[in-house]
Amino acid sequence: MVIKRPNPFTKLALILFFLVITTFNPPHLGLADEEDPDFYDLDETPPILSNVAKSSKTRLLVSHYKRIRKGMRCHVEGYNICNGVWANNKTSLLHCCKKHCRNILGDKNNCGRCGHKCGFGQRCCGGVCTYVGFNPSHCGKCNKKCENGVKCEYGYCGYA
């Protein structure tokens, strides 16, 4: 039995292909991460903390967790601090997904609910997986509207 060695040019072509694919990440294809803030400023006190008796420990927790870091662990000192909490003037809705705070209105891996992933070319716009390549209301990214009569093509308004 003779084993044929692969052509070195084939190897090189495959390496270059994967290098280009992993480094080239055009935003109009929906592959780049949405511009999500590093911190969420809570619009309200987390319900679990507002229902707890106002001891000095809970007052400290409430004042400390008015601002939550993106991806922060949910369970702090026995309390779930981001379960259904609105943030950033009602533009973010935080839920505890796999022990971390996630914005289910804009996280493509937890869109609308924990664990619901958006497909290729989609972004999570307001909790709904949306194809942004040809959608005139979400052209290239969420909430980027094209002018009346202008088509959204390949993530750009009036591409052609």
Side-chain angles (χ1 to χ4, degrees):
M1 181 172 161
V2 176
I3 298 174
K4 189 175 180 181
R5 300 182 99 199
N7 184 340
F9 293 111
T10 305
K11 284 184 182 180
L12 182 60
L14 284 172
I15 290 170
L16 287 174
F17 172 76
F18 286 111
L19 182 64
V20 168
I21 293 298
T22 56
T23 57
F24 180 66
N25 194 4
H28 67 276
L29 290 178
L31 300 173
D33 288 334
E34 192 69 32
E35 296 114 17
D36 210 13
D38 290 333
F39 287 92
Y40 299 108
D41 293 316
L42 300 185
D43 296 341
E44 56 197 38
T45 301
I48 191 72
L49 296 179
S50 63
N51 295 335
V52 177
K54 298 292 183 199
S55 68
S56 61
K57 185 177 181 179
T58 58
R59 274 195 299 270
L60 179 65
L61 277 173
V62 169
S63 64
H64 183 69
Y65 293 110
K66 283 290 195 179
R67 187 168 219 219
I68 294 178
R69 185 176 28 85
K70 179 180 176 182
M72 181 176 165
R73 293 189 64 77
C74 306
H75 298 284
V76 177
E77 305 215 14
Y79 300 106
N80 182 347
I81 60 166
C82 61
N83 203 18
V85 178
W86 288 98
N88 299 339
N89 296 319
K90 302 247 187 251
T91 59
S92 301
L93 181 59
L94 304 181
H95 275 273
C96 186
C97 301
K98 291 188 178 180
K99 300 181 183 178
H100 294 280
C101 293
R102 302 290 183 213
N103 173 16
I104 63 168
L105 298 181
D107 184 347
K108 65 181 178 182
N109 293 315
N110 300 288
C111 189
R113 66 183 186 277
C114 292
H116 182 251
K117 293 183 179 187
C118 293
F120 180 78
Q122 293 182 325
R123 290 214 174 164
C124 184
C125 300
V128 177
C129 291
T130 306
Y131 286 101
V132 295
F134 297 92
N135 187 330
S137 297
H138 305 281
C139 190
K141 65 180 188 175
C142 296
N143 301 319
K144 180 184 172 196
K145 295 182 185 235
C146 296
E147 294 179 20
N148 285 339
V150 177
K151 288 183 179 181
C152 175
E153 296 178 288
Y154 305 104
Y156 294 99
C157 294
Y159 179 73

